[in-house]
Amino acid sequence: MNDKTFLLISAAALGLWLAFVFGRIVVYWLQLLRMRFQPNETAEADRASMPVDVAAVLDQAGARLKALDFEYQGTWLTAPLLKGGDIEPTWSDLYLHTGSATQASVQVAEAPEPGLSAAVSFTTCYPDRIVATENRRLHLLFPIPPACDGQDALATGIEGHWASHRNRMAAMPGPAIASPEEVDRRVREFRASLFPFWREIGFMQPVGDAWRLTPGGAWRYLRQIMAGNRRLAALPPPADEEDLEVRLAADLHAWRASEAINRHCAMSLRSKVLWFVASAILGTAAMVFVNSWETVPLILGVLLFHEFGHALSMRAVGYRALGVLVLPFLGAVAIGRKEDAGPWEKLAVLLAGPLPGLMLAVVCLRLGIADPEHRDLLNSIGIMALVINLFNLLPFTPLDGGQMVDTFLFSRRPRLRLAFFIVSTVALVAVGIALSAPVLAGAGVALSFGIPAALRRMQLLSRFPFDSGEQPMAALLECLHTAPGRRLPFAHRLRTAQMLLSQVCGRAPSVLESLGGLSAYLAAVALPIGLLWDTGTPQEVFAHLVRPAAASHQPPDWRGQLAHAATPPERWQVLWNAGQWYEEEDDHNEARQRYQEALAETDLMPADESGELKRLDTRIALARVSGPDEALPSYLELLPRLRELPAAERQRLAEVLEALYWVDGRADAEERSKRLQEAIAVRESIHSPEDYRLFDDRLRLARHFDANGDTAGAEKLLLRNLEALSTLHSDSAAWLLEPTAWFYIAHGRAGDAERLLSAHAAPRQSGQQTLAWAYIAQGRNGEARELLAQQLKEKRNKSEWQRMQIFLDLVHGSAGESEAEAHWLQEAAKLKDTMGHDTFRGVRSYIRHEAESRDWERMRGMARLEAIKRLPGAEDDAEARPTTSCKAPA
């Protein structure tokens, strides 16, 4: 793995981690925006009606207050601030310190911690203000009006909390209000002022008969909570912990309140649709960044077909909180909750995504064989569906295949589950590197950040009493409270327990069920491969996927393979494979050596047709990897024998004739033309519908004919190529259309070029630019500029080379219109300044090469060269001619 790959994987991992963190923040912010509030009334209540778990928490805090000379005054029940839903009212005990006229309100903490299971608020009324002191919870409260002076004691217990409040009272200039009636009036006035105050500061706004947070208010409150949590994390733990039963009661009460809030804030169907649309837009933009516009609809369609299969299955087996989202750079995901889902329900949900997708692949690929007219589209859909869904069935968490393996092998086996998680993260990184997919490898690295949390969950489940019969959430929270090591904050405890709830609630599979589930998984993988095996598609897909990995590996052990080859044909095959491998790696010295050894093996073979063909193939390969001076005599010597081959084997003759066209610099134009014509005749005799070498030979010969005055012969060859348009993929069709269009433009037939390109709707960017030049050649500069400007809007699909060429074409197409011409020159100059000196020199060299050629596109090169000379600073490179190839990058 080189430095560039390492940096790309690191960037992808960091980006995915940041997307996860900020995604959670956005989810919380939107959840706050969905909340609806109302003024809440408080009424005195009968303490005997208080729930037992609430009473247990409040009693322990009350005992500590009584030790501080507080006296119990009564119990109050406060209606929920949130409007609607099944949120329970809040129970609170009120105590009074008669010596200081201070009230202490006690309720179950919103985020209980050991030692602070109850939230205590000390309040003292003065003539000009109310002094209130909270402890480690002020960040959870909405903004307080100026009439109340609120402060957080940040103490380790009730005693320190009370001492902080007494210090604040000592700093007040006058005595506190002692009259209970006056205190009650002041408190009611304070409560009545809350919503008007929140509206005044832009924190809330009325909506119908309720109130809601403003976007700014929600963001302010969210930042307040995050800052408060960070501050609390740095504080020492509370001094005295309550009994375990009290801590559990507080946690369970807070969990039920949290679940009620989540149900209250659940997304409506409209919100889910909006979320899906927004995620689809972001996901599409991300796909366009790394793919072409042409493939994005295919990828998105296959992904959504997969994920909606999951969603429909979830709905059928009783999952709730369903939704589908598109994840930029990662794909898509269907979400839902059902803690007590059994193994067969999980299997149905997991198979409902990839299995229909694989059946879609089989149907499309089979139809593509029988329907040549729509073969390209059907094959594209089929291959995309096959690759995406088979990849999703790989046995790695969090892919569907990994979740099936996890469900049927590692349920109730936490240590094996942890090991499987670690292996999966390593495997994802390895597969990402092998497939040259930094985002996939980055996802594996990002998942590895969760290994410490997975280790904690494994330790927790190792201690969980699966057969205890207790309530699962209570048992999970008890395990978290009694676990050794650092105590997790409430939010982390709750998140961990909720994450594990489905693992402890769902029924574990039996041995037979595990065998059945894994068999279904393997069948889902094997079935489409078996149905398509005779088409060769699975083999081609696999070869395409492993090719990037093979290219980056060390050479195979050719000598070891050679030692096991017993006969000359076997040894020749090993040496031939080695020569091909090194040739693909551009190591011609090693390739030449292997081919020479292979040629020596052919001397030991029988003098039959098979041995003769191997000998010819080896000699052609040797000439191919040799220099021109060595290759030329070898090719000329081979010609007579190659012309004697049967028709089915004469592609070798075409290959040698094409090579001679390039390497024989002594041959005159007529001799070169004859060789190319003979190569074309050979290829036509063994023609396949997509023989691109035949198309290339015709195009090369057409250019040769036209350069030597045979325009009619050139057009005839180009039209022969166009006869194959109906059988070719759209990109290949554009490759044939554009040279023909330029032939027409160069010969003053721009109208024919326009009709040709418009009739076949050339999809490639270069095809659209050629169409713009057809407009320019007809004096329709406005239409040309409109088409080129449209190309510029697709910036994420353009390289700097391509954008610079479009700018230069726009300069040429604006000739005579000074304002437009100056604008596009300025845009080109800006791009020149950002693209770097060497890159700009490469662009200029490529354009100069085109302008100095005898090709039909020469007029475009000359126009672009004139435009580029007008750029500021371009004259500095006027004489610079790079010694490297002038070929533009794809």
Side-chain angles (χ1 to χ4, degrees), residues 414 418 421-422 450-462:
L418 173 65
F421 179 78
I422 295 173
I451 290 177
L455 176 61
R456 289 195 296 269
R457 292 195 295 270
M458 181 274 292
Q459 294 169 341
L460 178 68
L461 288 177
S462 299

Side-chain angles (χ1 to χ4, degrees), residues 626-821:
S626 301
D629 293 339
E630 299 174 11
L632 179 58
S634 298
Y635 284 138
L636 292 173
E637 183 182 351
L638 285 167
L639 274 180
R641 178 66 187 96
L642 294 173
R643 288 189 172 114
E644 296 172 358
L645 290 175
E649 306 294 344
R650 295 182 71 200
Q651 73 275 6
R652 298 170 176 82
L653 173 59
E655 180 183 342
V656 169
L657 290 167
E658 290 158 356
L660 281 170
Y661 178 84
W662 294 109
V663 302
D664 190 358
R666 297 173 298 179
D668 57 21
E670 184 178 357
E671 179 66 22
R672 297 181 73 207
S673 172
K674 286 181 179 179
R675 286 171 178 167
L676 208 50
Q677 290 180 67
E678 186 180 358
I680 291 172
V682 170
R683 292 206 180 278
E684 285 178 340
S685 67
I686 53 174
H687 175 53
S688 65
E690 297 186 4
D691 190 346
Y692 297 106
R693 292 168 298 184
L694 172 58
F695 302 147
D696 197 46
D697 286 348
R698 286 178 182 155
L699 176 58
R700 189 177 301 120
L701 186 58
R703 292 187 186 275
H704 182 90
F705 279 170
D706 194 51
N708 289 278
D710 187 359
T711 302
E715 183 173 3
K716 182 179 179 181
L717 284 165
L718 292 172
L719 293 178
R720 289 286 303 278
N721 268 356
L722 295 185
E723 291 172 1
L725 284 176
S726 60
T727 65
L728 298 180
H729 187 272
S730 55
D731 277 350
S732 302
W735 176 68
L736 295 181
L737 286 167
E738 291 157 28
T740 310
W742 273 109
F743 169 82
Y744 287 141
I745 294 172
H747 288 280
R749 297 165 59 185
D752 289 340
E754 178 189 352
R755 283 186 287 274
L756 177 67
L757 293 170
S758 300
H760 293 89
R764 296 197 310 183
Q765 172 193 310
S766 54
Q768 298 298 310
Q769 288 177 246
T770 304
L771 181 58
W773 272 91
Y775 290 150
I776 292 172
Q778 297 176 73
R780 295 155 59 187
N781 289 7
E783 293 175 68
R785 291 200 302 273
E786 182 179 348
L787 185 59
L788 292 169
Q790 181 65 33
Q791 289 289 301
L792 280 175
K793 290 180 181 178
E794 303 173 9
K795 289 184 180 178
R796 293 210 179 266
N797 210 25
K798 307 286 185 293
S799 67
E800 289 180 332
W801 281 63
Q802 294 167 328
R803 289 168 58 205
M804 174 60 80
Q805 291 170 22
I806 295 174
F807 281 136
L808 297 175
D809 288 349
L810 282 163
V811 171
H812 177 71
S814 303
E817 300 179 37
S818 57
E819 186 175 345
E821 192 175 11

Side-chain angles (χ1 to χ4, degrees), residues 466-666:
F466 285 102
D467 301 323
S468 65
E470 297 184 47
Q471 292 185 352
M473 180 56 78
L476 283 171
L477 290 171
E478 182 176 355
C479 288
L480 284 165
H481 274 286
T482 58
R486 183 176 67 89
R487 190 71 49 79
L488 293 175
F490 172 74
H492 290 185
R493 289 201 305 276
L494 192 60
R495 190 158 54 245
T496 301
Q498 287 175 328
M499 188 177 298
L500 295 174
L501 201 54
S502 62
Q503 298 182 27
V504 301
C505 288
R507 180 178 61 83
S510 66
V511 174
L512 288 178
E513 286 176 324
S514 294
L515 291 174
L518 292 175
S519 299
Y521 162 59
L522 294 174
V525 176
L527 180 61
I529 296 177
L531 292 174
L532 291 171
W533 190 261
D534 62 304
T535 68
T537 302
Q539 300 93 311
E540 291 178 11
V541 169
F542 179 75
H544 176 75
L545 291 176
V546 302
R547 191 177 297 123
S552 61
H553 289 166
Q554 293 295 321
D557 182 13
W558 304 117
R559 293 303 173 190
Q561 295 181 29
L562 202 59
H564 290 87
T567 64
E570 290 176 354
R571 289 194 294 273
W572 177 89
Q573 189 64 56
V574 172
L575 292 165
W576 172 262
N577 291 342
Q580 296 248 299
W581 193 92
Y582 284 114
E583 188 175 351
E584 289 178 2
E585 293 292 306
D586 288 329
D587 190 345
H588 285 187
N589 289 331
E590 286 287 344
R592 188 160 50 249
Q593 181 178 342
R594 300 301 182 272
Y595 286 141
Q596 287 170 345
E597 294 175 17
L599 186 61
E601 291 295 332
T602 63
D603 294 336
L604 304 176
M605 294 182 188
D608 55 12
E609 182 181 357
S610 174
E612 177 64 14
L613 290 176
K614 286 182 172 63
R615 188 173 297 108
L616 287 172
D617 286 338
T618 311
R619 293 182 64 187
I620 293 171
L622 260 174
R624 191 170 58 239
V625 295
S626 301
D629 293 339
E630 299 174 11
L632 179 58
S634 298
Y635 284 138
L636 292 173
E637 183 182 351
L638 285 167
L639 274 180
R641 178 66 187 96
L642 294 173
R643 288 189 172 114
E644 296 172 358
L645 290 175
E649 306 294 344
R650 295 182 71 200
Q651 73 275 6
R652 298 170 176 82
L653 173 59
E655 180 183 342
V656 169
L657 290 167
E658 290 158 356
L660 281 170
Y661 178 84
W662 294 109
V663 302
D664 190 358
R666 297 173 298 179

Side-chain angles (χ1 to χ4, degrees), residues 261-528:
I261 292 173
N262 288 335
R263 288 192 295 271
H264 169 78
C265 299
M267 286 192 291
S268 64
L269 178 61
R270 175 175 173 272
S271 297
K272 290 179 181 179
V273 171
L274 290 176
W275 260 99
F276 169 73
V277 171
S279 71
I281 292 172
L282 290 175
T284 301
M287 291 179 197
V288 171
F289 186 81
V290 295
N291 298 282
S292 67
W293 270 109
E294 186 180 18
T295 59
V296 167
L298 291 177
I299 297 173
L300 192 61
V302 170
L303 286 173
L304 294 181
F305 187 83
H306 176 108
E307 296 304 333
F308 275 102
H310 283 312
L312 291 174
S313 179
M314 287 179 183
R315 184 181 181 87
V317 299
Y319 280 64
R320 62 185 187 279
L322 301 178
V324 175
L325 296 174
V326 180
L327 305 178
F329 299 109
L330 288 180
V333 63
I335 54 177
R337 290 177 60 188
K338 186 179 182 182
E339 285 80 6
D340 60 346
W344 293 114
E345 290 176 321
K346 292 179 181 178
L347 180 66
V349 168
L350 292 170
L351 282 178
L355 198 55
L358 290 170
M359 292 303 100
L360 173 69
V362 172
V363 170
C364 288
L365 290 169
R366 285 291 182 185
L367 288 177
I369 296 173
D371 186 0
E373 183 178 354
H374 301 97
R375 180 178 300 164
D376 287 346
L377 176 61
L378 291 169
N379 285 350
S380 297
I381 296 173
I383 291 174
M384 192 71 70
L386 187 68
V387 171
I388 288 177
N389 289 285
L390 280 180
F391 174 80
N392 214 263
L393 283 173
L394 289 176
F396 308 137
T397 297
L399 303 176
D400 291 335
Q403 292 186 62
M404 290 182 220
V405 173
D406 182 270
T407 298
F408 288 99
L409 279 186
F410 305 127
S411 180
R412 304 291 194 266
R413 297 178 178 87
R415 289 181 176 82
L416 290 177
R417 175 170 274 157
L418 173 65
F420 181 60
F421 179 78
I422 295 173
V423 169
S424 294
T425 59
V426 174
L428 284 177
V429 174
V431 171
I433 294 173
L435 299 182
S436 301
V439 173
L440 182 61
V445 174
L447 277 177
S448 70
F449 298 160
I451 290 177
L455 176 61
R456 289 195 296 269
R457 292 195 295 270
M458 181 274 292
Q459 294 169 341
L460 178 68
L461 288 177
S462 299
R463 302 169 53 248
F464 185 81
F466 285 102
D467 301 323
S468 65
E470 297 184 47
Q471 292 185 352
M473 180 56 78
L476 283 171
L477 290 171
E478 182 176 355
C479 288
L480 284 165
H481 274 286
T482 58
R486 183 176 67 89
R487 190 71 49 79
L488 293 175
F490 172 74
H492 290 185
R493 289 201 305 276
L494 192 60
R495 190 158 54 245
T496 301
Q498 287 175 328
M499 188 177 298
L500 295 174
L501 201 54
S502 62
Q503 298 182 27
V504 301
C505 288
R507 180 178 61 83
S510 66
V511 174
L512 288 178
E513 286 176 324
S514 294
L515 291 174
L518 292 175
S519 299
Y521 162 59
L522 294 174
V525 176
L527 180 61

